[in-house]
Amino acid sequence: MKRMIKYFVLLIALAAGHPVLSQPASFRKDVSERRLWLVEMERMATPVLRSLAHDSLRITMPQVTSEQVDNREHRIAVQYVEVLGRVLCGIAPWLALEEGDAEERALRRRLREWTVHGLKNALDTNARDFMRFDIGGQQLVDASFIALGVVRCPWLWEQLDAGTRRRLIEAIKTTRRFRPVYSNWLLFSAMNEAFLAKFSDDWDVMRVDYALRQLELWYVGDGMYKDGPHFAYDYYNSFVIHPFLAAIMDVIGEKTKIYDDMFAKIRKRNERYAIILERLIHTDGSFPPSGRSVIYRAAAFHHLADMAWKKRLPEQLPPGQVRAALTAVLQKVLRAPGTYREGWLTIGLHGDQPGLGDFYNNQGSPYLTSVIFLPLGLPPGDAFWSDAAQPWTAQRVWSGQDAKKDYSMSLH
C-alpha cells in the first residue's frame, strides 16, 4: 500500500500540469499493459516537452552531470539537444499513430502540440530555448537522435512550418563539421545523412557509404559488431548499432539498390541479436549491468523494441512473449525508488546510482531509456498488444518448463 501511494504521488508530481493518464494504472488489475506503458511514457516525456513548448526548458531542467564528468560546463551546454533527441526518438512512432481510446488520443494531442511547439522553440534564435548544434562533437550524436525521431515520425515533419523545416535541415548539416569518433559514431553521421536523404535530397553519399562499409568490417559474428577496432561487452549493439543500421537501411534502401546484399545480411543479424537480447532478460525483468552507459536503463533493449515496432521479430519471438519481457524491464528500471527526482530522471540503472555514470553523462543522457516505448507505435489491436502474454525465455527455463535450444549463427 505504501508503494502504491508513493507511486501515485510521483505521477501527480511529474507535471503539475495534470497528467492526462492520472491514475496509477500500474497498480490496477483491470487495466492493460498498454495503459501501464502510456502512464510511464507520459511521466517521462512531460517535463521535457512541456517545458520546451513553453520556452522554459533551460529554466526547469536541472543542470546535473556525472560524478566522473570530464568538462561540466560543456556537458551542461549540450544537454538540451541531448534530452530533446532522446525523448523524441523514443516516442516518435506513437506520435505518428492515430488509434487508441479517448484518453490515449487526448494524451497524444497534448504531446503532439508540445513537440511541434518545442521543436520550433529549439530552432528559433529568438527563443530562450534556442539550441545550437555547433558547440562540440556531442552535438553530432544528439542531432542524429533528433534525425532518427523525425524519420520515425513523418507526421511530425509534415506539421512543421517551412521555416522550422529549413532550420532543422541546416542544424543537422551543421554537425558535419565534427569528425565522428572511430566507433559507433560513424552511424550518427550516416543517420543525419539518411534524414537529409529522406527530407531534403541533399545528402552526402560518402558518409553513409563509409559507415555501412566500416560496420561490415566490424561484424564479428553471431549477430554482433565491434564498436570500433575492439570488441566490448556492453549494450552498444542495442543502444545504437542495430537500430541505426536498420533505420539507415530503410531510408537508403529506397534510394539505391547497391546495398541490397549487405542489407539482407543486416536483416538476418537484426533477428539474431533480438534473440540474444530477449534471453538476457531475467525472470524479474533485470539484466546484466555490463559495460558503459548502463544509466540508459531500458535502452539496453532499444533493438528489441525497434524490431517489435517494425514487426520484424523472428519466429522464435512471439509478440506476446516480447511484450511481457519488455513490460518486466520497464517495471524494473522505472519503478525503483530514486528513479526520478522532482520529476526528472536520475543517473542510475535501478534508482539513483551516481557511481554508474560515465564522464559524458548529463541530465539529458538517461532519457535514451525512452526507446523502450517504441512498440506504442503499434495500434492497440496489433498482436504485440492483443496476444496473450507468454513467459519469456528466462521465465520458462528457470521455472522448469521445457524450452528450445539456442544456437549461434555466423551471418557473415
Side-chain angles (χ1 to χ4, degrees):
M1 177 61 70
K2 288 182 179 179
R3 186 183 177 194
M4 174 176 155
I5 294 172
K6 183 175 183 180
Y7 188 71
F8 180 70
V9 170
L10 283 171
L11 284 175
I12 296 299
L14 82 86
H18 308 294
V20 175
L21 303 177
S22 57
Q23 298 187 55
S26 48
F27 291 97
R28 289 173 46 195
K29 300 298 184 183
D30 61 327
V31 297
S32 66
E33 286 174 274
R34 184 179 181 87
R35 183 177 174 83
L36 184 156
W37 284 48
L38 287 167
V39 167
E40 296 292 353
M41 183 191 69
E42 181 187 11
R43 181 186 185 191
M44 187 181 300
T46 289
V48 177
L49 297 179
R50 184 188 60 208
S51 297
L52 186 56
H54 291 86
D55 203 15
S56 60
L57 184 64
R58 292 181 185 274
I59 297 172
T60 59
M61 185 176 179
Q63 295 186 343
V64 174
T65 60
S66 166
E67 291 180 345
Q68 292 77 37
V69 69
D70 57 349
N71 184 333
R72 176 176 167 78
E73 183 178 348
H74 175 75
R75 297 300 174 183
I76 290 174
V78 301
Q79 72 175 14
Y80 306 103
V81 177
E82 191 160 336
V83 75
L84 171 59
R86 294 175 186 224
V87 169
L88 181 60
C89 77
I91 71 170
W94 177 78
L95 290 176
L97 197 66
E98 297 297 339
E99 290 90 341
D101 62 20
E103 286 184 297
E104 181 174 344
R105 293 197 302 272
L107 176 63
R108 186 180 293 111
R109 285 194 296 270
R110 175 184 288 184
L111 266 63
R112 279 178 167 182
E113 180 181 353
W114 285 345
T115 302
V116 172
H117 284 298
L119 274 172
K120 184 174 182 179
N121 285 336
L123 297 163
D124 182 356
T125 56
N126 295 313
R128 285 191 301 265
D129 283 337
F130 171 66
M131 299 180 185
R132 290 177 53 187
F133 285 66
D134 61 350
I135 297 174
Q138 181 64 35
Q139 305 268 270
L140 168 63
V141 176
D142 299 319
S144 76
F145 283 113
I146 294 176
L148 177 59
V150 180
V151 165
R152 284 173 169 170
C153 184
W155 175 91
L156 181 56
W157 178 257
E158 294 167 3
Q159 306 310 306
L160 300 178
D161 61 82
T164 301
R165 288 184 184 181
R166 183 181 65 255
R167 287 188 287 273
L168 179 56
I169 287 172
E170 291 307 312
I172 297 296
K173 287 182 177 179
T174 295
T175 64
R176 287 173 172 170
R177 71 185 60 189
F178 303 117
R179 187 177 71 174
V181 178
Y182 194 53
S183 67
N184 69 85
W185 279 43
L186 297 180
L187 293 171
F188 298 139
S189 291
M191 186 67 242
N192 286 341
E193 298 305 322
F195 164 87
L196 295 171
K198 186 174 181 67
F199 296 114
S200 79
D201 279 331
D202 179 19
W203 59 292
D204 186 341
V205 175
M206 289 303 297
R207 291 174 195 262
V208 174
D209 185 76
Y210 179 55
L212 290 175
R213 291 180 185 274
Q214 190 58 61
L215 264 294
E216 191 66 19
L217 293 175
W218 285 341
Y219 182 68
V220 295
D222 206 22
M224 289 180 281
Y225 296 83
K226 292 189 293 185
D227 185 9
H230 306 288
F231 181 79
Y233 189 78
D234 55 30
Y235 290 99
Y236 270 85
N237 267 269
S238 188
F239 291 150
V240 175
I241 295 173
H242 277 279
F244 273 67
L245 279 173
I248 293 165
M249 175 180 67
D250 290 346
V251 174
I252 302 305
E254 296 181 356
K255 297 289 183 179
T256 177
K257 299 299 182 183
I258 65 173
Y259 300 109
D260 282 2
D261 289 344
M262 180 191 297
F263 289 166
K265 290 189 289 186
I266 287 174
R267 291 187 185 95
K268 292 294 185 182
R269 295 166 188 167
N270 286 165
E271 291 184 0
R272 174 56 186 159
Y273 192 61
I275 292 169
I276 291 172
L277 283 176
E278 190 269 350
R279 287 176 173 265
L280 290 176
I281 302 173
H282 198 48
T283 56
D284 63 347
S286 62
F287 50 93
S290 303
R292 64 190 181 95
S293 297
V294 293
I295 63 101
Y296 296 166
R297 292 185 170 92
F301 300 95
H302 185 180
H303 174 58
L304 186 57
D306 189 49
M307 291 286 281
W309 166 54
K310 292 178 176 176
K311 301 178 73 66
R312 296 176 183 172
L313 291 170
E315 184 180 352
Q316 300 94 314
L317 297 179
Q321 178 175 320
V322 174
R323 184 191 73 243
L326 290 179
T327 299
V329 170
L330 184 151
Q331 292 174 310
K332 190 69 175 180
V333 301
L334 296 182
R335 298 275 186 79
T339 297
Y340 288 89
R341 181 183 299 115
E342 297 181 357
W344 295 84
L345 282 172
T346 57
I347 291 176
L349 174 58
H350 189 64
D352 185 7
Q353 298 166 309
L356 294 180
D358 293 283
F359 68 87
Y360 43 81
N361 293 150
N362 57 41
Q363 180 62 69
S365 303
Y367 281 85
L368 191 58
T369 195
S370 72
V371 294
I372 188 101
F373 300 123
L374 289 175
L376 284 171
L378 295 169
D382 185 86
F384 181 87
W385 296 107
S386 61
D387 281 5
Q390 298 183 39
W392 56 97
T393 301
Q395 281 191 323
R396 190 180 301 277
V397 170
W398 294 109
S399 64
Q401 300 178 55
D402 195 14
K404 291 185 178 181
K405 177 70 176 174
D406 183 48
Y407 292 96
S408 65
M409 298 180 70
S410 169
L411 303 177
H412 278 283

